[in-house]
Each structure stands twice: as structure tokens, then as C-alpha cells.
Amino acid sequence: MVGFTDIPSQKLEDLVTFPVLIPVKAVSHKNIAQDTFVQEILQVTILHVPDFEEEKIEIRASSSGNYHALTLMVTFEHVDQVHALDAALRAHPMVRMVL
């Protein structure tokens, strides 16, 4: 699946006007506590987008409750923020995938 973060910076800047609201989804590995996952992902997001607010997180658990998907409604000020947050989330040990 190709997302915004797979598009080179120059092309992304040609496609959208910053600031831009982009939903970012992070899915946890199996059996990670929801509260822990939310707090970890919130900290990573605020590091790259300082004005991000926790209220902009939508949480969904899998039907078995083993996985959690967080949708972050992030307003990015520039393209570097998009790529930095994506890289940080993908590198996080609690994150199984980023969409």
C-alpha cells in the first residue's frame, strides 16, 4: 500500500498545500496494553508535531483485543514533519505497521 510517506518530499509538496491534515494510522504488536500504546505513540507524535493533541487520536481494538489501531489526525506544517513522524513510528518497537 502506498501512502503519503512513500512519496518523495518534492512530489508530496506538489500534491498538497501545507499546513495539511493527514490521518496517520499506527497498529500495535500483539498483546500491548492500549493505554501504554497510546501514551508511547502520543509522545513520539508530540516530539515531531509539538502542537498535537491527544483528543485527535481515535482508538480501535481488534475483535480479539490483541491489537490496537490508532488513527492520528495530524496537521503537518511542512513535508519534513510527515517523513520524520513516519520514520519514528515505523522504528518504534511497539508499532507493527504504519499506514
Side-chain angles (χ1 to χ4, degrees):
M1 175 179 206
V2 176
F4 276 111
T5 56
D6 298 314
I7 301 170
S9 295
Q10 186 58 45
K11 291 210 179 236
L12 183 57
E13 287 181 315
D14 292 342
L15 293 172
V16 298
T17 303
F18 288 88
V20 62
L21 179 67
I22 300 175
V24 177
K25 184 174 281 193
V27 179
S28 72
H29 283 286
K30 191 173 184 178
N31 297 326
I32 292 178
Q34 178 178 299
D35 292 343
T36 302
F37 188 57
V38 170
Q39 288 307 310
E40 286 285 325
I41 299 309
L42 179 61
Q43 288 177 13
V44 170
T45 305
I46 289 173
L47 181 64
H48 297 285
V49 184
D51 60 344
F52 184 78
E53 300 168 352
E54 187 172 0
E55 297 79 35
K56 295 181 181 178
I57 299 176
E58 178 183 311
I59 306 164
R60 291 198 177 163
S62 65
S63 59
S64 62
N66 291 330
Y67 301 94
H68 305 287
L70 305 182
T71 302
L72 315 164
M73 297 304 294
V74 183
T75 300
F76 293 99
E77 296 297 324
H78 50 82
V79 69
D80 295 336
Q81 280 183 312
V82 177
H83 293 291
L85 179 58
D86 179 67
L89 290 174
R90 288 178 190 274
H92 197 284
M94 289 186 181
V95 176
R96 181 173 185 214
M97 73 176 83
V98 177
L99 305 170

